[in-house]
Amino acid sequence: MEAGICYIKPEYLVTEGNGNSEAITTENSETNKRKRDDGHELETGGKKKWDKKERKRGQNKNRPVFKDERYSHLCHSLIDGTGGEPCSLANCRYVHDLNAFLAAKGEDLGPECYVFSTKGYCARGVSCRFAKAHTDENGRNIKREDYDENAPPTTFNGVSSELQVRLRKHEYDFSRSKQLIKLAENLRDARKQKEQKEKDDKEKLSAAEENQSAVSENSDKHGKEPPVDSKEQETPTGCAVDDSPIGRDAEKKPAVDFREKLVLSPLTTLGNLPFRRICKEFGADITCGEMACAQPLLKGMGQEWALTKRHKSEDVFGVQLCGNNPNMLNQAAQVIHETAQVDYIDLNIGCPIDLIYQQGGGSALMRRTNILELTVRSCAALSDRLPFTVKMRTGIYADKSVAHELLPLVEEWGASAVTLHGRSREQRYTKHANWNYIEECAAKAKNMPVIGNGDILSYEDYVERRTLAPHVSSVMIGRGALIKPWIFQEIKEKQAWSPLSNQRYEMLQKFCNYGLEHWGSDTKGVETTRRFLLEWQSFLYRYIPEALQEAPPQKINARPQKYRGRDEMETLMSSGNAADWVKLSESLLGRVPDGFTFVPKHKANAF
């Protein structure tokens, strides 16, 4: 059998020219590979060859983004329907013509509002796309009798208006952060001084030994003992550094136990709160928000702070930070620690995105060790109850791994755990993750948990990786969870689960409900939910049911042969065509607006 191919049972195979419009055509064929954005190909030696620089990109850049002009926001004074209090703002920019708004909104998408049915009240009121479920005969928004206005919120974090003002006016007190940076600088300078002293002493000792050898030879010739220099016999004093175990170096019980856990990777765009809720229900132990950049957080930007939001079901939750400046990173960590409910903070030093890397953040920090040391030392010292972790790759270049050198240093600087993705920045997601190297690095850690990451799509993959890397404490799953969110359940139950198409459809329905609760059930919220559903479907379609495979389990980098599903829905879910994803979303969230187009952000078809 050819490597990289997932072989399908003969009864589900599709042959060329069979006329079946429902058949799934794999990207293994040349006609189904996505073309470059400019549509051009390079000719080399008579064969079509993709541009190397283009292949390395992980996103569909310059993709068309559809903007829906059908709706505007209804003024809050009219949210509860007719007869509300008049708007008190002289220059209110929202819609005040209720009838015109309702006409533009269109028909309801269904008879039941998930938010109203679960909470007893829908704050979107008449702007909700399921408004008839919670409006009376007069068009007023209603509250169910069992609705509790004082019930605790189900979602935490984000930025308040008061915090926004303090951040934007530079009124937030970061004196603690400045002290920690200064302390980290002193420790770094003391370490360098000590290393230089040891180097100088080693050179002096080597020179003294050479001199002693020469004198001995001379003494043997003349029969005299060489004079003894008392200064050379003095014990080196070393560097005057206080070695007492204080702060993060003190022995203590960690606030979060990262050992023997299933960790959901922080996933840009796709690791949103509704998706994390799905993964928690399937058995993920630890979740982490999407990568948030330190600078926008410190500017109080609501869009960036939204990445810190946490659902009550996420019992162990962390926020991942990215940046290129230790002062900014430490200040962002401080304000999150003081204003948000998080269990740990993670530093991203593995992000391969060009923009982040060129600015000195992400994987660029793996070569900026002075900056990395200041960041880890200062952030780890924020609180002995707030673990600070680091997520890294093997290095920047495929042929030059540096993680084995960095990992012991990061532990020395105070990190509570390190996640190692077994690929370099240069490799992105091509080639297989190097778990032998992950084990080599994990073996160098003294007491710090090391979390392995890469290429786990089944329980068998999990067992194989843990056997290859016995020093790895836990496993983090990213793309595997996007393709098979039930991977956590499979690992815990130690057996494969092959959901039917109706079970997978119910999972998508649940995601949409969670999305409407999180982003809103009005038109904007519906379309936001649709966009994230379509982005997720660009990974979900890669799942191949075990019953269709000749030799399960599926490997994450293996392309399937051309095949059809066991029913129409399974065939639709397995399609790599974005138009089919839109069709699937319409069955869940209603028709798309006229002129709607979708191109996925990530080139998830790269096997």
Side-chain angles (χ1 to χ4, degrees), residues 68-291:
D68 190 359
E69 302 295 341
R70 294 179 304 160
Y71 66 91
S72 299
H73 287 286
L74 183 67
C75 179
H76 195 269
S77 64
L78 297 172
I79 283 290
D80 286 331
T82 58
E85 293 292 330
C87 180
S88 59
L89 298 177
N91 298 315
C92 181
R93 56 192 176 95
Y94 297 126
V95 176
H96 294 85
D97 188 338
L98 180 60
N99 293 329
F101 176 86
L102 294 177
K105 187 184 75 167
E107 292 294 323
D108 279 6
L109 299 179
E112 181 181 347
C113 174
Y114 174 78
V115 178
F116 180 77
S117 62
T118 54
K119 296 186 176 181
Y121 174 71
C122 177
R124 303 294 172 176
V126 296
S127 67
C128 174
R129 295 304 307 274
F130 309 86
K132 290 181 180 178
H134 47 78
T135 51
D136 59 19
E137 61 276 7
N138 297 319
R140 286 179 173 273
N141 194 37
I142 60 176
K143 295 180 181 179
R144 211 166 53 207
E145 292 182 359
D146 61 346
Y147 173 66
D148 183 6
E149 295 185 358
N150 299 317
T154 57
T155 301
F156 313 99
N157 301 343
V159 62
S160 65
S161 56
E162 181 268 339
L163 179 58
Q164 269 188 325
V165 171
R166 291 172 62 194
L167 289 172
R168 290 173 178 176
K169 291 187 175 181
H170 305 286
E171 294 176 350
Y172 198 93
D173 183 11
F174 287 115
S175 57
R176 167 71 171 155
S177 176
K178 294 176 182 177
Q179 292 173 358
L180 293 174
I181 289 291
K182 188 65 177 177
L183 176 61
E185 288 175 343
N186 293 338
L187 291 172
R188 181 195 61 184
D189 294 343
R191 175 187 61 79
K192 288 184 175 181
Q193 182 182 353
K194 183 177 181 180
E195 289 177 352
Q196 185 61 43
K197 182 70 164 59
E198 291 174 350
K199 181 179 179 181
D200 293 343
D201 290 343
K202 188 176 180 180
E203 291 177 352
K204 288 181 180 179
L205 181 60
S206 177
E209 289 175 350
E210 292 178 1
N211 184 51
Q212 181 72 19
S213 176
V215 172
S216 297
E217 292 177 3
N218 186 56
S219 175
D220 290 340
K221 291 179 181 180
H222 297 84
K224 295 181 180 179
E225 293 293 331
V228 178
D229 188 350
S230 60
K231 291 184 179 180
E232 291 184 359
Q233 292 184 338
E234 291 180 2
T235 303
T237 58
C239 183
V241 178
D242 184 4
D243 294 326
S244 61
I246 60 173
R248 291 294 301 176
D249 296 328
E251 293 184 3
K252 62 183 181 302
K253 182 180 179 180
V256 176
D257 184 5
F258 291 98
R259 301 180 190 276
E260 300 302 325
K261 298 294 191 296
L262 296 179
V263 188
L264 175 64
S265 178
L267 301 161
T268 303
T269 304
L270 297 155
N272 49 68
L273 185 144
F275 171 74
R276 298 198 305 270
R277 289 182 65 178
I278 296 289
C279 291
K280 281 298 297 182
E281 292 175 4
F282 278 122
D285 296 313
I286 299 176
T287 56
C288 187
E290 301 173 57
M291 182 183 74

Side-chain angles (χ1 to χ4, degrees), residues 514-525:
Y514 293 164
L516 295 174
E517 179 182 349
H518 182 58
W519 292 300
S521 55
D522 58 357
T523 302
K524 184 177 182 181

Side-chain angles (χ1 to χ4, degrees), residues 584-599:
L584 184 61
S585 79
E586 288 184 315
S587 69
L588 293 160
L589 296 168
R591 290 191 58 186
V592 296
D594 293 335
F596 180 87
T597 57
F598 175 76
V599 176

Side-chain angles (χ1 to χ4, degrees), residues 212-453:
Q212 181 72 19
S213 176
V215 172
S216 297
E217 292 177 3
N218 186 56
S219 175
D220 290 340
K221 291 179 181 180
H222 297 84
K224 295 181 180 179
E225 293 293 331
V228 178
D229 188 350
S230 60
K231 291 184 179 180
E232 291 184 359
Q233 292 184 338
E234 291 180 2
T235 303
T237 58
C239 183
V241 178
D242 184 4
D243 294 326
S244 61
I246 60 173
R248 291 294 301 176
D249 296 328
E251 293 184 3
K252 62 183 181 302
K253 182 180 179 180
V256 176
D257 184 5
F258 291 98
R259 301 180 190 276
E260 300 302 325
K261 298 294 191 296
L262 296 179
V263 188
L264 175 64
S265 178
L267 301 161
T268 303
T269 304
L270 297 155
N272 49 68
L273 185 144
F275 171 74
R276 298 198 305 270
R277 289 182 65 178
I278 296 289
C279 291
K280 281 298 297 182
E281 292 175 4
F282 278 122
D285 296 313
I286 299 176
T287 56
C288 187
E290 301 173 57
M291 182 183 74
C293 294
Q295 188 174 20
L297 288 174
L298 295 175
K299 290 182 177 180
M301 296 178 65
Q303 187 174 2
E304 206 71 17
W305 273 93
L307 303 180
T308 70
K309 288 188 176 181
R310 166 188 192 168
H311 190 261
K312 67 176 184 180
S313 63
E314 299 180 90
D315 48 350
V316 182
F317 173 76
V319 169
Q320 187 182 67
L321 294 179
C322 176
N324 58 6
N325 184 292
N327 294 282
M328 282 189 175
L329 284 165
N330 190 261
Q331 289 177 8
Q334 179 190 336
V335 71
I336 288 173
H337 171 50
E338 294 174 350
T339 64
Q341 297 183 31
V342 297
D343 297 301
Y344 69 98
I345 292 179
D346 184 66
L347 174 66
N348 186 321
I349 64 169
C351 177
I353 297 174
D354 292 338
L355 180 63
I356 300 293
Y357 177 79
Q358 290 164 3
Q359 292 177 347
S363 53
L365 285 176
M366 296 190 73
R367 58 178 174 80
R368 304 177 68 207
T369 52
N370 284 335
I371 301 299
L372 180 61
E373 179 177 359
L374 285 180
T375 302
V376 176
R377 283 191 186 275
S378 60
C379 291
L382 267 173
S383 170
D384 60 2
R385 302 301 298 167
L386 181 71
F388 185 76
T389 63
V390 176
K391 186 172 188 290
M392 66 174 67
R393 286 182 175 244
T394 60
I396 296 174
Y397 305 106
D399 59 349
K400 189 177 181 182
S401 298
V402 297
H404 64 284
E405 300 172 354
L406 272 181
L407 194 142
L409 293 175
V410 169
E411 179 179 13
E412 178 187 337
W413 298 336
S416 298
V418 164
T419 300
L420 179 56
H421 181 182
R423 295 183 181 87
S424 66
R425 174 188 183 265
E426 189 177 53
Q427 289 173 312
R428 297 292 177 105
Y429 291 95
T430 61
K431 309 299 180 184
H432 293 288
N434 189 344
W435 277 82
N436 290 320
Y437 183 69
I438 292 177
E439 165 62 13
E440 177 188 338
C441 296
K444 293 182 178 294
K446 296 178 181 177
N447 300 306
M448 178 183 65
V450 176
I451 304 169
N453 176 220

Side-chain angles (χ1 to χ4, degrees), residues 510-568:
K510 187 177 291 186
F511 173 84
C512 291
N513 288 336
Y514 293 164
L516 295 174
E517 179 182 349
H518 182 58
W519 292 300
S521 55
D522 58 357
T523 302
K524 184 177 182 181
V526 168
E527 294 310 315
T528 300
T529 301
R530 187 193 308 276
R531 179 169 65 86
F532 284 107
L533 173 66
L534 293 172
E535 293 285 4
W536 186 19
Q537 185 61 29
S538 72
F539 283 87
L540 278 172
Y541 86 93
R542 287 178 53 181
Y543 168 67
I544 308 165
E546 278 74 7
L548 276 61
Q549 302 177 48
E550 276 201 341
Q554 174 187 356
K555 296 299 180 182
I556 199 167
N557 291 328
R559 297 176 182 272
Q561 295 173 289
K562 298 178 183 180
Y563 74 99
R564 70 172 65 86
R566 290 167 290 182
D567 54 49
E568 185 178 351

